[in-house]
Each structure stands twice: as structure tokens, then as C-alpha cells.
Amino acid sequence: YKDDDGRAYLVYTSENNNTMHVSLLKDDYLSPAGRWKQILIGRRREAPAVFKHQGRYYLITSLCSGWDPNAADYAVADSMLGDWHQQGNPCVGPDATTTFHSQSTYVLPIHPEQGSYLFMADRWNKTDLEHSGYCWLPLRVREGKVEITGDDASVLEKRLAGPLSIVDYSMYLKGTPGTKVSTSLNFYDSGDSLLLSYTVPCTLKESPTHTGNYTEAPPNTSYLTVSMDAGKDEMPQVTNYQLHLQKDPAWPSHAPVCDLDLYMRPFWHSDTIFNETVLLFSEKGMPAGGRLLYNPERILSVKSFNLDTTFRQGTDYQIKGKTLSRMPASSMPYRTDSSFDSRNNLAWYDLQSQWVTVTYTHHDVWPGPVPGYKGKYLPMTIERLRSGSPVNIVAYGMSITRGMDVSGYDSVPPYMPTYMELFARGLKDHYAKSPVTLNNAGLPGAAVDWGAAHAADYVTPLHPDLTVIDFGMNDFWRMPPGEFRDSVQTIIRKVRNANPKAEFILLANMPFDPDYVLDSDKNKTFYTGNMSGYRKVLQEMEGPGIACLDMYSVGETLYRNKKAKDCLVNPLHPNDYLARWYGQGLVSLLVPPGGATPF
């Protein structure tokens, strides 16, 4: 603490945290001057926060209780090396006994002549210390007494957060049953302007009541706060509070160990297929096998999904027509039919990294729809790419858009980038003079009506030249195609209100795994009809400024000629192989046959 006469003091806990010391420092503040005093002897106080008001010194401290919050206490003295007298807990109101779930760290003068200060405290997350936060509350001194209060909407946490980060907070509330409480997630820019706020109402029950929210930070976010408001009712006690931030991806990215140039050769007109994924599958105790998309003329390699193990023909596998079969003594991974639980209507599974990858040559013809050039629908984007002008792409959608379960997103070898990253990379390769930027605003779990409600919050601030709209996999449970179309049109309208020249790619998504919903489910026809209906309404919207990529028909063809589980990590998410179809298809919309031709 630096006093107003220029002297500085070091205040610290010592003697096994039993007693606090105050030590005068030398004029350079680098070492003790030899004058010191023991204070609060035997009181086990820590976390000192010192300030001076009207000639007297105030010291706020915390009890030593590990990472768990406790009641603060303040002491007063006439000089730093004088006698300090404890005055009790300065906190007033709900959660005063836990210092509002925080621990003192600093007191900042605001209008000291009026007794106005800012109490600054650490809010420790003892299970994840690196993600601990802060609590800032008003502190007032009236007639020598210190008072720290929380507002009706108490700020539970303030945390730095980057644009488009995924945010998830959760807590349990204890209080009088029937009390109505709301928690809010608020996003601010670097100038402290509120960008977006989500409020979740909650009515307390007899048992601890859970509440929380999950969303993403809008563009230009600098920090966020989580707050709680009980109106005139008593603020409830908060327990098990957690807040998680996930960047994109959630951890440091790895360099791909696969050749992305080879990976982006279109599957539909290439005579060499690189690392096609096959799930070796055993039914009714038969040898495990899988089916290739094309008849192989020559097998070039069969490897593990992470590409670090090569399997040998005749020892690990044999090939007959399109079927690759696992030899009994092979170490190749496989799954049995009994490992997929189909007893309920939502047969979930996770196949991450359980495929083998096959590279082979062939001369078959792709039997499905061929993604092709649609530059006539996207003339503004094509003009910018050919002339070398910057092109800003925004991806707006759900978990598939974000890239969830692609190996790079899941941080497993071979660390292939998401389909949107493959798309942006492909445009850079073909239009080398055009700076291409990508902002991925995909929110896992998002539905299209959420996308319509918040397009002005998440898309328009990014000023896109081209927006890829990718919803549907969280909508087919409840939303018929007409309503789906209306929400997509709302997104387009809101973006064009800010930028009339903006253009769009509409993604008609792949089908979910046909085994995901049992045939006995009376709603299955409704679900599958919605997915196919989404493709139809999106194709009907194609026109000036709007192109459609039909991944639904591509997926149907793949599932007929291979297994759905060859292409999927789980019933709703594509694996690397199917994500490459997405990336290749998007590039084909903007790159004419034979490659790009600049002006």
C-alpha cells in the first residue's frame, strides 16, 4: 500500500497464516526499512485490501479457508504501524457471509471525498482455478463505518471473453420456495457498451433449483457478466456455480497430418480416392467388413484413422469387389451389431477414430448428384474473388457448421480442419489474390428460429460478403419445412437490411443416420419428411444472390452405396470423410470447371 505521503508498506500473512504483518519499505520500495508491526495476531486473516479515508486507515481481510469464500472483516487504525481494531463484516445483504462468493483483493477510490469506493474481489473457481473471475461492488464509508452491498441484480462473475466463444454457465439456487429469480448473461464490448443480454427466469423449489444458459458471444465481445436479480425478494444462495468458455476450437489447434490438397480433390470426378473411411462391422458373429464407394482397381493403402498404422492385405484384410473384410488375427478396429443399442428410439453412438481409411484407384462413375458451379447466382462474390478484392465469409448455423466431431475440432489425429475452414482454404487456393476471411458463428445445438431471432446480433456486425446458412439438424423434430423456410428468409432479410449486396449459400443438410429413429416410432415419417422438405424449400429459394448446396441428396447416395456409419461420428455429425464432401461441394459452387479465371 502506498500512502499519500509517498511511503509504501507491505502487508502480508505470516507465522503459518496466523498473524498479519505490516512492514514499512525503503524509499525505493524494494526492501524492508526495518520498521514493522504484527497485527490481527492469531486471527488467521489473509487477502489484505488497504485504503485511507479522512485520515484513517482501513484494512479488509478474509479468513483463511482455502478456496472457499467466507465472511470478510475490516479493521481500522490511525496509522499503518499503529493498533488495528477489528470492526466486523462490512458486507450487507444476501450472501454477506461469503463476501458475495468472493475474497478481497483491492479497494479503488471513486469519489473518496464522498466516501465512495469500489470493492474489488477474486471469485475463485476451486475446481478450475485458471477460469476464476472477479466481483466488483460498491463500497461506502459513512461516519467511519464501511459498508459493501450488492445491487438487486448481483453480478456473480465478470470474465474476459472473445467474439463467438461458446459460453455455458450453470448454478443451483437455494431460498424460499416460490421466489422468482432471473439470471442474466450480458456481453459487452471494449467500450463497456452492452451488445446482447440473455435472461433466464427461474422459480425456486423446495430442493436446490438448477438454472443456467448456453449460447455464444456476439461479435465485438470483450467481456461478459453473469448476474442475478430477485427483485424485492431475498437473493437466494448460489451453489455449484460454474462458467465455461470455449474458443473455436476449444484447445490449441494442431497442424493436420493429412494432405489437404489431396483431401480436396472432388470425390465425384477423381480416379483416386484418398482415405475414404470405412467402419468394419460384424453382424451376427460374421467376420467384420465394410463397403467402399467405388470398385477399387488397386488398393494403395489401408490405414488406421489417425494414419499412423498401415494394414497389410492378406494379413489384416482381404478385398473382394467393393467389400473390405477384416482377417481374424488382425488388429484392425471393428464394431459388432450388438454394440449399437437400438432398444430405444434415439440410438446414440460415438465412432470417433474407429474407422479404417482406404486409398485406392477406380474408374466408376459417381451415381449421385454432382455439386457444380453456381457463379451465376453469386455474381458479387465471384467478382470480388476474380478481381482480388477481400471476401468476408460468415458461417451461421449449428454444431455441424462449427465443425464439431471433425478430427481437428475434436483435437485427434489427423487433425483435419472443419468443412468451413476447408472451404475458405479452397477459395484461397483458387483465387490467390483475394484475401478470404472466415468467421464461424455456428452454435452447437442452435435451431433456425434462434438463428432468425439473432441474425442482427451475430451476422450483420461481421459485415459479410457471403453468408453460409446451415441449420436443420436441430429443427426436424418440430418444425415443418414452411416454417423453416420463413426463418431462413428472416435471416437473409436482416443481413440484407445492413448490406443489400450480401449473398448467401444455403446448405440443405445431410440426412441423419436412418437407424437413429426406429421404424416403430410413429413420428419417424414426420422427422424424415422435414429433412427432405428442408432441401426442397431451400432449392426453391435459389436465385439472384442465393445458391443452394444439396448435401441431403449427396448423403442419401452415400448411405445407399456405403453405410451411414462409414460417414458419421454419431447419428447427427459428419466425420472427416463426409465433411470433405461439404468442403469440396462449397468450393465447387464458386470455382468453375477447369479452375478460376481472374479478370
Side-chain angles (χ1 to χ4, degrees):
Y1 169 73
K2 180 183 176 182
D3 205 345
D4 49 20
D5 63 3
R7 294 182 181 183
Y9 300 83
L10 177 66
V11 185
Y12 59 96
T13 297
S14 189
E15 301 175 19
N16 292 321
N17 289 348
N18 281 303
T19 298
M20 196 160 279
H21 288 202
V22 180
S23 176
L24 176 67
L25 297 179
K26 291 183 179 180
D27 291 344
D28 60 5
Y29 305 164
L30 298 180
S31 58
R35 294 179 59 196
W36 59 281
K37 185 178 180 68
Q38 292 174 302
I39 67 170
L40 309 183
I41 297 172
R43 302 297 178 86
R44 294 189 58 78
R45 307 304 297 181
E46 65 177 358
V50 184
F51 67 101
K52 189 175 184 180
H53 177 72
Q54 294 183 348
R56 303 195 77 196
Y57 297 85
Y58 294 80
L59 171 66
I60 299 175
T61 60
S62 166
L63 183 68
C64 294
S65 59
W67 301 109
D68 295 314
N70 56 69
D73 194 290
Y74 79 99
V76 182
D78 292 324
S79 69
M80 286 296 293
L81 297 177
D83 294 326
W84 289 85
H85 301 282
Q86 288 184 275
Q87 305 296 310
N89 188 353
C91 299
V92 178
D95 297 322
T97 56
T98 62
T99 316
F100 309 105
H101 304 282
S102 67
Q103 183 185 46
S104 50
T105 188
Y106 191 73
V107 175
L108 179 71
I110 302 297
H111 295 292
E113 70 283 356
Q114 302 173 14
S116 177
Y117 298 82
L118 184 66
F119 173 71
M120 307 173 76
D122 293 304
R123 179 163 279 151
W124 301 113
N125 183 345
K126 67 180 182 180
T127 62
D128 190 5
L129 286 173
E130 131 178 55
H131 290 134
S132 298
Y134 300 96
C135 177
W136 295 2
L137 291 171
L139 182 153
R140 302 189 187 281
V141 184
R142 295 186 178 94
E143 299 180 352
K145 292 185 178 181
V146 176
E147 185 177 280
I148 302 171
T149 58
D151 295 331
D152 287 341
S154 176
V155 176
L156 300 177
E157 182 161 9
K158 178 178 180 180
R159 180 89 65 86
L160 295 175
L164 306 181
S165 297
I166 298 173
V167 183
D168 183 10
Y169 76 90
S170 171
M171 70 187 81
Y172 283 86
L173 305 178
K174 295 180 181 179
T176 304
T179 299
K180 296 186 182 300
V181 181
S182 62
T183 60
S184 297
L185 180 61
N186 315 290
F187 298 97
Y188 297 86
D189 64 15
S190 58
D192 300 320
S193 295
L194 180 65
L195 299 172
L196 184 62
S197 180
Y198 290 94
T199 299
V200 179
C202 174
T203 301
L204 301 190
K205 303 175 184 177
E206 291 285 347
S207 58
T209 306
H210 178 263
T211 189
N213 199 2
Y214 164 88
T215 187
E216 66 180 337
N220 304 316
T221 295
S222 179
Y223 67 93
L224 62 82
T225 64
V226 179
S227 60
M228 182 166 60
D229 186 1
K232 296 181 179 180
D233 293 331
E234 181 180 353
M235 292 287 278
Q237 179 184 354
V238 178
T239 61
N240 296 329
Y241 171 79
Q242 293 185 335
L243 185 146
H244 298 289
L245 286 175
Q246 177 181 319
K247 296 180 181 178
D248 188 12
W251 35 74
S253 59
H254 296 264
V257 296
C258 50
D259 188 326
L260 298 183
D261 291 330
L262 297 180
Y263 267 36
M264 288 300 288
R265 292 186 180 181
F267 289 117
W268 52 89
H269 64 61
S270 174
D271 61 3
T272 303
I273 302 300
F274 296 94
N275 292 340
E276 178 181 326
T277 50
V278 177
L279 181 72
L280 299 180
F281 184 67
S282 174
E283 295 185 271
K284 300 178 180 179
M286 298 297 291
R291 182 179 173 86
L292 299 175
L293 179 60
Y294 300 116
N295 280 293
E297 292 186 345
R298 182 186 175 197
I299 299 292
L300 301 179
S301 71
V302 178
K303 296 184 177 183
S304 57
F305 180 72
N306 62 12
L307 306 182
D308 70 354
T309 302
T310 299
F311 301 109
R312 293 181 297 170
Q313 189 169 355
T315 301
D316 294 299
Y317 69 90
Q318 59 185 6
I319 191 81
K320 184 176 181 180
K322 295 183 178 181
T323 301
L324 184 144
S325 300
R326 179 183 182 274
M327 304 292 282
S330 174
S331 63
M332 298 170 74
Y334 72 100
R335 292 289 294 264
T336 62
D337 52 1
S338 60
S339 68
F340 294 101
D341 184 3
S342 60
R343 291 174 295 176
N344 60 64
N345 284 349
L346 298 178
W348 195 260
Y349 54 81
D350 181 2
L351 298 176
Q352 180 59 272
S353 306
Q354 297 179 39
W355 311 273
V356 296
T357 63
V358 186
T359 300
Y360 61 98
T361 61
H362 77 97
H363 281 90
D364 289 352
V365 176
W366 162 244
V370 176
Y373 181 66
K374 295 187 176 180
K376 66 178 181 179
Y377 296 129
L378 306 171
M380 300 287 187
T381 304
I382 294 297
E383 180 180 2
R384 297 183 72 86
L385 289 168
R386 287 179 173 174
S387 64
S389 301
V391 174
N392 181 24
I393 302 173
V394 173
Y396 193 46
M398 50 184 174
S399 54
I400 296 176
T401 324
R402 194 81 171 199
M404 185 174 286
D405 289 323
V406 169
S407 63
Y409 189 95
D410 281 5
S411 196
V412 297
Y415 308 116
M416 191 193 84
T418 67
Y419 85 75
M420 283 304 307
E421 292 173 300
L422 292 176
F423 173 41
R425 181 183 184 275
L427 292 184
K428 292 175 185 177
D429 287 343
H430 288 282
Y431 298 96
K433 293 183 179 180
S434 181
V436 176
T437 58
L438 170 65
N439 289 282
N440 197 324
L443 173 63
V448 70
D449 50 358
W450 173 90
H454 293 287
D457 300 312
Y458 289 98
V459 183
T460 57
L462 294 168
H463 309 290
D465 301 302
L466 178 66
T467 302
V468 178
I469 301 176
D470 179 19
F471 290 95
M473 202 59 81
N474 300 309
D475 301 291
F476 67 81
W477 305 103
R478 61 186 178 86
M479 182 174 288
E483 294 180 22
F484 183 85
R485 176 200 58 221
D486 293 345
S487 288
V488 173
Q489 289 176 333
T490 297
I491 296 171
I492 293 173
R493 174 177 51 78
K494 288 185 175 181
V495 176
R496 281 183 168 167
N497 283 344
N499 179 12
K501 295 184 178 180
E503 295 183 327
F504 302 85
I505 293 176
L506 311 182
L507 253 167
N509 248 287
M510 64 180 202
F512 55 80
D513 185 344
D515 296 334
Y516 184 39
V517 182
L518 299 182
D519 292 338
S520 58
D521 188 328
K522 62 181 181 180
N523 293 314
K524 184 168 186 175
T525 301
F526 174 72
Y527 302 151
T528 56
N530 285 341
M531 288 299 292
S532 62
Y534 297 165
R535 169 194 52 183
K536 182 179 179 181
V537 296
L538 294 179
Q539 288 177 324
E540 289 172 349
M541 292 171 63
E542 200 167 56
I546 302 175
C548 179
L549 176 62
D550 179 10
M551 286 302 301
Y552 184 87
S553 299
V554 169
E556 276 192 319
T557 306
L558 287 173
Y559 298 174
R560 284 196 301 267
N561 289 272
K562 291 170 62 65
K563 295 187 300 294
K565 295 176 179 64
D566 291 331
C567 311
L568 301 170
V569 178
N570 55 49
L572 305 179
H573 291 167
N575 67 1
D576 285 16
Y577 171 68
L578 185 48
R580 287 161 62 190
W581 281 89
Y582 275 76
Q584 294 169 10
L586 285 170
V587 171
S588 73
L589 298 183
L590 294 170
V591 178
T597 303
F599 285 150

